[in-house]
Amino acid sequence: MFASYPSDNSSMKISESPQIAPPPTLNVALQRTALVSLVALFILCLLWEIWLAPLRPGGTLLFLKALPLAFAIRGVSKGSLYTIQWSSMLVLVYLMEGVVRAMSDPPGPSILMAWLEIVLSSVFFFAALFYVRPAKRYAKLLKVQAEADERSAQQVQAPTTDRKLDQA
């Protein structure tokens, strides 16, 4: 005759935030691909400007263009998301240089070096992009969840302050 209700009020909860999935596991194969292509690009830049096809016989100081890549090698080898992100932007400079030199250098080994630079920088860029992608999505999910939690906390606080004003 009478309906029975649960005594613990478990069905009466206002809003329960959903559980967030655990942090994503990052693809080690992509990290290694990025590392190998970065080291190969570093070595290519050194050899290209010192020995294989320098702009002037005997080499130039243009081999110093490889120095920024050296700063990224340690972080990429450790899988640092921050390092992989900034080095993926840095490698675009090498991609542009490869395209310019492939189109403007006189026929010879320099054009082959430029095409190798284009391939290696592209491989690094895409490996880095796909390596970082799950972590970026997870960070975005955490941000959305934090904003939702903040809004729900504000909504819970707002009615209690309205009651206090009504009582005064």
Side-chain angles (χ1 to χ4, degrees), residues 29-31 33-34 37 84 122-132:
L30 288 172
Q31 177 200 358
T33 302
S37 62
I84 292 174
S122 297
V123 167
F124 177 83
F125 181 76
F126 285 111
L129 192 70
F130 289 122
Y131 177 76
V132 172

Side-chain angles (χ1 to χ4, degrees), residues 45-57:
C45 288
L46 287 176
L47 293 178
W48 182 2
E49 299 302 336
I50 294 174
W51 184 61
L52 294 175
L55 287 176
R56 281 184 266 157

Side-chain angles (χ1 to χ4, degrees), residues 2-167:
F2 293 102
S4 64
Y5 294 103
S7 61
D8 64 350
N9 292 334
S10 62
S11 63
M12 307 278 254
K13 292 183 181 176
I14 297 173
S15 68
E16 199 172 294
S17 52
Q19 294 294 326
I20 301 235
T25 56
L26 301 174
N27 191 337
V28 177
L30 288 172
Q31 177 200 358
R32 290 184 181 149
T33 302
L35 179 62
V36 167
S37 62
L38 183 67
V39 170
L41 184 61
F42 175 75
I43 292 169
L44 175 72
C45 288
L46 287 176
L47 293 178
W48 182 2
E49 299 302 336
I50 294 174
W51 184 61
L52 294 175
L55 287 176
R56 281 184 266 157
T60 63
L61 289 179
L62 199 55
F63 73 90
L64 292 175
K65 72 180 182 184
L67 189 59
L69 294 173
F71 293 125
I73 291 173
R74 181 175 180 207
V76 172
S77 68
K78 290 183 176 184
S80 167
L81 291 175
Y82 180 76
T83 304
I84 292 174
Q85 287 177 45
W86 68 256
S87 60
S88 70
M89 296 298 133
L90 172 69
V91 83
L92 292 175
V93 174
Y94 295 89
L95 176 70
M96 289 186 297
E97 186 215 9
V99 169
V100 168
R101 291 190 67 177
M103 299 300 155
S104 65
D105 278 4
S110 183
I111 292 177
L112 176 64
M113 298 299 127
W115 280 108
L116 282 172
E117 186 175 41
I118 291 169
V119 168
L120 290 173
S121 58
S122 297
V123 167
F124 177 83
F125 181 76
F126 285 111
L129 192 70
F130 289 122
Y131 177 76
V132 172
R133 189 177 193 186
K136 297 296 267 184
R137 283 186 175 171
Y138 183 72
K140 187 176 183 180
L141 180 67
L142 287 179
K143 182 180 177 186
V144 168
Q145 182 63 36
E147 290 171 354
D149 289 346
E150 186 178 316
R151 278 194 305 271
S152 66
Q154 289 173 354
Q155 289 173 353
V156 169
Q157 290 176 355
T160 58
T161 56
D162 290 340
R163 287 188 207 146
K164 289 180 184 177
L165 292 175
D166 290 340
Q167 293 173 356

